[in-house]
Every structure is written in C-alpha cells, then in structure tokens.
Amino acid sequence: MEKFQVVIAGGGVAGLTAAIHLSKSGFKTILVERHPYPHHKVCGEYLSREIQPYFKNLNIDLTELQPALINKLQYSTTSGKTIESDLKLGGYGISRYGLDHFLFMQAEASGCEFRFDTITEITFQNNTFQIRTQDGAFLESDFVLGAFGKRSNLDKFLKREYLNAHSGWLGVKAHYKNDSYPSNLVSLHNFRGGYCGLSKTERETINVCYLATYHSFKKFKNAEDYQQQILKENIHLKEFFETSEKVFEKEVTIAQINFARKKAVENHILMIGDAAGLIHPLCGNGMAMGIHSAKLAVELIEQYYADNNQDRNLLENKYSEVWNAQFQKRLRTGRVLQKILMNEELSGFSQKLISTFPKILPKIISRTHGNPII
C-alpha cells in the first residue's frame, strides 16, 4: 500500500494538467492511466487559446509542438451551404497523440508518479480514499480527481445517475493527408445523423472526427460504408474525402457517448474534464474546459492544505459551485446548438439568419468559450 495526497484517475488532458499543477506545487501525486503514451483518442483536436495564460504559468509551451494556428471557422449545412467566421481567440490544431505525450513528459519531469493500470474500485471511509487496480495495487489518498473521460467502467462502479439517460451517440476519428486544406481553418459539416469536424494538426495531417447517432450508423457494416453513403452527401465532405489520403490504418471509435448532465462531485471524488460534463464537440471547447476544470480543482486542494485541512464538505460544495458557474451555461448552449444543427429546417433557418446578421455567429461562439484562463 502506498499513500498519496492525490490520486488522479485517468490521463487525458485534464488529468495530465492536474498532475503537472499538483506536482509543481509539491503534492505527492500519482496518475493512473490504462495505456502508455503516446496513443490516439477520439477527439476534435482543436484547443482554444483561452488556456494559454494558465499554461504559461505552469511553464507549458505548446509552440514546441508546432501546432497549427487556427483563426477561421467554416460551417456547412447538409445541403452544403456555408458560412464563415473569424475566431476571436483562435486555437491550436494539435493531436491527442502529441499533446497527451507532451503533457505526460511535463508531468513526469515535475515529479508526478505514473502507473499504467486500470482502477477497478474507489471507496471512501474515515476521510481517506482506498483505490484498487486491476493488477492488484492498493493505493490510499486524501483526494481523488476523476479524470476518466467520456465513459468508464468506474462510472458504473460509482453508480452515477447520468448512466440512466439515453446515450445514442458514437464518435469516429481518423487522420488524413490533404495538402490543400488551410492550416488556419476548423470546419464543421452537417450530414444526416451527425456532424463532422476537420482541422489540421502538428503532424501535418487533417484530423477528421465525426459524431453520429447510433440509429443512423447501425444500418451500415462499418465506418467506410457510412462515410461513402452518408457523410459524402455533404458536398464539402465528399470533396475532402475524394481528394485526401487516409493515414490511419483503421478509424478510432468510441460508442455510448452520453451528453446527459453529470455531477461535478460524486462519492467525494472531484470530477474534471469529460467526467464532470461533456460539451457537444461542435462547440470545439472540450479540451479547454477540461484544462480549466483541472485548475479549479487543484486550486481548491491547495487552499485546503493551506488552511490546515478545512472541512472537506466545504471544499466539495465550493468546487461544485465554481464548476457550475464556469461551465453550465456553455453546456446548455451546446445542447441548444446541437438540437438546431441536427434539425435540417432549423439549421437552414439559422444559417439564413446568420448570413443576414453575420455578427450573430461570433456571439454564439463566445457563449461556448470562456475568457483567457489566468
């Protein structure tokens, strides 16, 4: 048995950011992640530059990875009609393969311990967490940060309420080569049953990631057939796929994606990233929200120790309060946008409205993004 101040369950961008921050602040921290780095994950791979001040404070310089610098958005309806907008803050086009590995090396250099294993149980008693892993490890800690992403067996172990809601979405991702795709552009294209995002990465590839309803996907044998018969109905996606070369041997997929409301604190675990709340990918702000939530949780843990172990309930209530204040409006906006864009009539009407009043689109974008994180 090993005792830590903080155990981080999951090693995506939220978990890794928390690991860096905690380790730099001198906390004894371990991060438990199933897979060694680097590896690909289903993700839009667009990171809003609102994270830049916070990363600067942590001495994290993403320019070392030479990400694509994105400042333009293009959106098309299923019929192929497009509108475009500038992105005020802009973002980085950066693969999870590169970003997660980069943050892992930063966390390890900062003193965080890593264990590549699967957590099977998390229990809390006598103000202490006990964590068991698949390989038989037993850890104890004062705090656990839940950073286990969109969907995990730990959700079932913890009996989280959101699992009772319908989860009829799946995500599919692959990288493509296409020299003519603009490096400063993120594009979002509707198709029957979902929407697809395209943006360049630091690997000089185009990340293609789409979200589809299980109902629309189940009629086809595989992702290739679905692409040929459904995605290509959108003329912009058709042109892209017919002029691009797929780099991945096989698409990366994730099923049972659930956008139901989650609690920021469950069983005394502080949830961060997608484990706390999942914004629709069309908003392009999931990674930045995950990073910001890590900051909020870590700062409260720092305050807890600085105040000589204040009331844990006070900390948990404060985290729920600040998490909701930062992200609930964005999540609601994402749910509304998803309903509009998935309805062909509403999508067409909204595009006509935005075309007539182009200043509306930047305002919509701003409602799903935050201010620079200081």
Side-chain angles (χ1 to χ4, degrees):
M1 183 184 70
E2 292 184 81
K3 180 69 184 287
F4 295 87
Q5 289 172 290
V6 184
V7 169
I8 302 170
V13 290
L16 288 164
T17 299
I20 294 168
H21 191 153
L22 285 163
S23 298
K24 284 180 179 290
S25 297
F27 291 98
K28 187 178 182 183
T29 305
I30 186 170
L31 188 152
V32 184
E33 161 66 21
R34 286 184 300 170
H35 304 295
Y37 301 97
H39 52 264
H40 288 287
K41 290 183 177 180
V42 174
C43 179
E45 300 190 333
Y46 168 87
L47 177 58
S48 169
R49 292 184 65 178
E50 67 195 66
I51 57 90
Q52 193 167 326
Y54 176 46
F55 269 18
K56 184 177 181 181
N57 290 337
L58 293 178
N59 293 317
I60 300 172
D61 184 5
L62 294 182
T63 62
E64 292 181 27
L65 291 173
Q66 297 183 311
L69 302 179
I70 297 172
N71 57 19
K72 296 283 185 181
L73 167 70
Q74 179 190 65
Y75 166 72
S76 76
T77 62
T78 53
S79 64
K81 294 180 180 179
T82 63
I83 51 176
E84 296 186 0
S85 175
D86 293 332
L87 294 172
K88 184 178 178 181
L89 286 176
Y92 298 113
I94 189 166
S95 72
R96 291 297 297 275
Y97 188 91
L99 176 61
D100 289 14
H101 189 229
F102 181 75
L103 295 178
F104 159 66
M105 291 189 294
Q106 297 269 331
E108 196 171 47
S110 300
C112 181
E113 293 187 39
F114 281 82
R115 182 178 182 90
F116 296 106
D117 198 349
T118 299
I119 293 176
T120 55
E121 296 180 21
I122 302 175
T123 56
F124 182 79
Q125 58 184 1
N126 300 324
N127 212 36
T128 301
F129 287 96
Q130 290 84 37
I131 300 100
R132 294 186 183 275
T133 74
Q134 187 170 281
D135 290 347
F138 180 42
L139 311 173
E140 282 194 347
S141 66
D142 297 332
F143 289 98
V144 170
L145 296 183
F148 36 80
K150 301 175 181 66
R151 180 175 58 84
S152 168
N153 287 333
L154 279 175
D155 289 318
K156 294 180 181 179
F157 175 79
L158 297 169
K159 298 178 181 178
R160 301 187 73 188
E161 289 181 10
Y162 88 89
L163 292 173
N164 296 322
H166 180 64
S167 56
W169 294 90
L170 61 88
V172 180
K173 161 194 162 170
H175 282 188
Y176 287 76
K177 277 284 188 182
N178 187 318
D179 293 336
S180 64
Y181 189 88
S183 62
N184 69 330
L185 177 70
V186 58
S187 56
L188 181 71
H189 303 290
N190 260 28
F191 57 85
R192 279 191 302 129
Y195 40 88
C196 179
L198 284 69
S199 58
K200 203 161 191 177
T201 74
E202 86 291 353
R203 299 169 65 84
E204 291 299 314
T205 55
I206 312 303
N207 179 53
V208 176
C209 188
Y210 66 85
L211 192 72
T213 62
Y214 176 72
H215 177 75
S216 69
F217 194 88
K218 68 180 182 180
K219 304 171 187 176
F220 299 89
K221 292 181 179 179
N222 51 48
E224 184 66 29
D225 289 347
Y226 190 74
Q227 180 189 115
Q228 290 293 329
Q229 297 187 50
I230 299 297
L231 269 69
K232 283 189 176 182
E233 289 181 344
N234 182 305
I235 59 173
H236 301 286
L237 291 175
K238 178 180 173 67
E239 179 183 2
F240 177 83
F241 287 124
E242 292 184 352
T243 58
S244 304
E245 176 188 355
K246 188 164 71 173
V247 176
F248 283 13
E249 185 174 327
K250 187 179 180 181
E251 290 86 355
V252 182
T253 63
I254 182 172
Q256 298 179 14
I257 300 175
N258 196 321
F259 293 99
R261 294 181 182 180
K262 300 176 181 179
K263 294 179 181 178
V265 181
E266 298 252 18
N267 298 72
H268 303 283
I269 300 169
L270 306 183
M271 302 294 178
I272 61 176
D274 290 343
L278 184 58
I279 194 167
H280 282 272
L282 62 91
C283 299
N285 202 36
M287 285 199 286
M289 284 176 55
I291 289 165
H292 195 174
S293 68
K295 178 178 184 288
L296 297 176
V298 171
E299 287 178 342
L300 286 172
I301 290 173
E302 288 178 318
Q303 190 63 48
Y304 178 89
Y305 285 106
D307 291 347
N308 296 316
N309 300 355
Q310 59 177 308
D311 187 338
R312 181 185 292 272
N313 289 329
L314 184 64
L315 179 151
E316 293 175 5
N317 291 336
K318 183 64 176 177
Y319 180 64
S320 293
E321 179 186 324
V322 296
W323 193 95
N324 288 327
Q326 284 292 337
F327 306 124
Q328 280 294 3
K329 287 184 180 179
R330 299 189 218 181
L331 294 176
R332 281 198 296 270
T333 301
R335 285 191 285 268
V336 171
L337 282 175
Q338 185 267 338
K339 288 179 180 178
I340 292 173
L341 298 182
M342 289 296 293
N343 182 298
E344 194 166 347
E345 290 184 4
L346 288 176
S347 179
F349 172 77
S350 63
Q351 189 179 54
K352 288 180 182 178
L353 183 65
I354 292 169
S355 297
T356 306
F357 304 100
K359 291 184 179 180
I360 293 176
L361 187 55
K363 290 184 178 180
I364 293 173
I365 295 169
S366 70
R367 289 186 66 85
T368 62
H369 290 63
N371 297 318
I373 305 166
I374 300 173

